[in-house]
Amino acid sequence: IAHSTIRDWLRADKIKPWQRHSWQKSTDPEFLKKATVVLNLYERARALARRGEILVCADEKTCIQALTATGVIDPAGPGKPVRHGARYVRKGVLNLFAGLLVHTGETMACCLQRKRFVEFQTFLQMIFHSLWTQRIRVLHLILDNGSTHAPKQIRGWVRSLKLPFK
């Protein structure tokens, strides 16, 4: 079957197999109250930035396998699909730390070997000393309660840094 035939069938039936929807329902009775605060910040991100307040959402994607494919890849041809072996060489695991500057959509990221609060601190220091935070008054940092973010330690640690913004 030609690629274009499959594309036409999917379009005709409005099927989009590459799209996936999933969700989780919070069990926290205070969820709506907490989420409203965060969503209001997102909604006002551009206006806040004009006042010298930026909103940064940060998180990590952990245990990313660094792999190198081995063997030859045979390209597709008439009546022949792409062929490649399933062999690869493991190059370890990386942890991606990333931040989103909400009002512009810019991202900042780094990969580190481990996923602990100390690595997250390294990543936050990168944000705190970046161009994003020059000439700002307030940094709104949106995080989940993951253990890497050390919810009980992070406020005290950030305050101890004596940053030029609050």
Side-chain angles (χ1 to χ4, degrees):
I1 298 174
H3 171 77
S4 59
T5 302
I6 293 172
R7 182 193 64 224
D8 293 343
W9 289 345
L10 292 173
R11 280 186 184 161
D13 291 333
K14 297 181 181 165
I15 297 172
K16 299 177 180 176
W18 55 88
Q19 291 183 347
R20 180 175 168 237
H21 300 279
S22 64
W23 65 91
Q24 290 184 353
K25 184 175 180 181
S26 176
T27 57
D28 182 352
E30 298 288 312
F31 176 76
L32 185 58
K33 180 180 169 186
K34 294 172 184 176
T36 300
V37 172
V38 174
L39 293 172
N40 285 336
L41 283 171
Y42 278 115
E43 185 176 52
R44 297 182 5 238
R46 285 196 174 122
L48 289 170
R50 287 189 292 272
R51 292 183 0 205
E53 300 182 33
I54 63 170
L55 178 61
V56 174
C57 177
D59 208 352
E60 69 277 337
K61 172 64 178 151
T62 60
C63 300
I64 299 170
Q65 290 232 11
L67 306 172
T68 300
T70 61
V72 177
I73 297 176
D74 293 330
K80 184 179 116 186
V82 171
R83 292 178 48 111
H84 59 84
R87 303 277 183 218
Y88 55 85
V89 175
R90 292 177 189 255
K91 300 287 186 171
V93 175
L94 294 173
N95 300 286
L96 173 69
F97 292 83
L100 171 71
L101 183 58
V102 174
H103 76 281
T104 66
E106 292 175 60
T107 58
M108 186 180 304
C110 70
C111 286
L112 298 168
Q113 292 295 319
R114 298 194 58 191
K115 180 199 90 157
R116 301 172 299 174
F117 182 51
V118 69
E119 282 80 20
F120 191 62
Q121 287 173 303
T122 299
F123 173 65
L124 288 180
Q125 289 276 19
M126 191 172 97
I127 289 175
F128 296 159
H129 296 95
S130 72
L131 293 175
W132 287 2
T133 61
Q134 289 185 358
R135 296 180 299 282
I136 67 163
R137 296 180 315 113
V138 177
L139 169 64
H140 299 277
L141 187 58
I142 305 295
L143 307 171
D144 61 23
N145 287 329
S147 60
T148 306
H149 305 153
K152 294 177 182 172
Q153 300 170 330
I154 196 161
R155 282 181 198 227
W157 173 73
V158 170
R159 284 190 187 115
S160 75
L161 297 176
K162 308 279 191 255
L163 297 166
F165 49 85
K166 55 180 184 163

